[in-house]
Amino acid sequence: MKKQFVVIGLGRFGSSVCKELYHLGHEVLAVDLQEGKVRDMVDFSTHAVVANGTEEKDLKALGVRNFDYGIVAIGENIEASIQSTLLLKELGLKAVVKAQNIHHHKILDKIGADRIIHPEQDMGIRVAHQLDSEKVIEFIELSKDYSIVEMEATPKLNNKTLVQLNIRAKYGCTVLAIKRGEDINIAPHPDDVIFEKDILVVMGHKQELKRLEDKGI
Ligand code: ADP
């Protein structure tokens, strides 16, 4: 379903979010103080405007209160990021905010930010997990304890069904999808057969996923 987003701050993070949301078919209003940054987003947003994300009158004039989500991607100016988040919440939007550090995170949490992102740290964790195991291709952290990983099936799994592998009973993990080349099976059946080099998308407790990776896959 088409949603409406306003992206405030068009640095590396904000402009990537803006482009991708627009590419996915959503309505995206791109806002920055710098004309050059705004100009760069003209072809990658529904509207791109020079405005101040910390000014209530600017946001009101842009009709921001009708939007679903506000993405605050203001760089190092923590005060401006907090101010902008407060305004977006007052105008009734869900706020997704890039945090600079733990103090900033705590304040954002207190003022009701709906999602707080630490792009560098999150990417660092993902890369570390990918490097830690040659079998893990992609890693998504769901919570402190749970994650979703993509693992490549080794020859050990070749020609076995999910029932035979019994991953849920042995490891308490769920196979959410099986990727084979360009194809993806998003509702795997217990009798579906796995082949070597298939990519399994598995959700579970981190310790159990590690056990599956070391012993089961
Ligand atoms: P990144 O680390 O994602 O590249 P930057 O610090 O380079 O972040 O970019 C932040 C952007 O936010 C800059 O383009 C800056 O002009 C913009 N910005 C800063 N304050 C405001 C504000 N009050 N309103 C709108 N945009 C802002």
Side-chain angles (χ1 to χ4, degrees):
M1 212 179 75
K2 196 168 169 168
K3 294 180 195 145
Q4 291 182 308
F5 297 90
V6 54
V7 179
I8 296 171
L10 304 171
R12 287 162 302 177
F13 179 70
S15 61
S16 311
V17 175
C18 174
K19 281 184 185 174
E20 200 62 21
L21 286 171
Y22 183 63
H23 179 69
L24 290 168
H26 296 292
E27 187 175 331
V28 187
L29 169 64
V31 175
D32 202 291
L33 284 172
Q34 297 179 51
E35 211 179 319
K37 295 274 173 74
V38 171
R39 211 179 307 120
D40 289 345
M41 281 303 111
V42 165
D43 292 338
F44 305 104
S45 62
T46 319
H47 301 286
V49 288
V50 176
N52 188 344
T54 65
E55 282 290 339
E56 189 171 0
K57 64 172 175 18
D58 282 16
L59 295 181
K60 281 191 170 160
L62 290 166
V64 161
R65 70 163 81 244
N66 298 318
F67 283 65
D68 303 308
Y69 288 88
I71 292 124
V72 183
I74 291 174
E76 269 140 44
N77 189 342
I78 291 178
E79 201 183 322
S81 154
I82 293 165
Q83 176 70 15
S84 186
T85 306
L86 270 173
L87 280 172
L88 292 173
K89 288 308 300 172
E90 275 171 20
L91 292 170
L93 282 79
K94 288 205 175 72
V96 178
V97 193
K98 174 181 162 173
Q100 290 295 340
N101 55 48
I102 187 66
H103 307 295
H104 188 193
H105 183 118
K106 281 186 185 164
I107 295 167
L108 292 171
D109 194 36
K110 287 225 158 46
I111 63 173
D114 299 273
R115 186 155 170 208
I116 305 164
I117 299 165
H118 298 263
E120 290 87 357
Q121 285 91 329
D122 295 348
M123 190 44 93
I125 292 170
R126 281 171 83 158
V127 170
H129 278 266
Q130 287 162 4
L131 296 172
D132 172 59
S133 164
E134 280 164 15
K135 290 177 194 158
V136 171
I137 297 155
E138 187 63 285
F139 169 90
I140 300 166
E141 190 168 47
L142 295 175
S143 71
K144 194 166 62 63
D145 294 324
Y146 291 90
S147 37
I148 295 177
V149 297
E150 289 189 353
M151 302 179 187
E152 187 176 298
T154 60
K156 196 162 121 184
L157 269 59
N158 197 29
N159 255 320
K160 298 225 167 75
T161 64
L162 286 172
V163 170
Q164 285 171 319
L165 294 172
N166 209 8
I167 290 173
R168 184 165 304 166
K170 282 194 196 151
Y171 301 95
C173 298
T174 308
V175 177
L176 299 175
I178 302 168
K179 293 191 200 174
R180 185 170 301 146
E182 292 292 298
D183 294 330
I184 177 158
N185 172 358
I186 54 154
H189 191 268
D191 295 328
D192 285 346
V193 180
I194 312 263
F195 295 108
E196 182 185 348
K197 298 228 184 285
D198 281 356
I199 307 291
L200 307 186
V201 184
V202 193
M203 177 172 71
H205 194 283
K206 285 180 189 172
Q207 280 169 5
E208 295 298 299
L209 286 169
K210 185 82 188 141
R211 217 159 57 79
L212 171 66
E213 210 182 297
D214 293 341
K215 299 212 178 76
I217 271 258

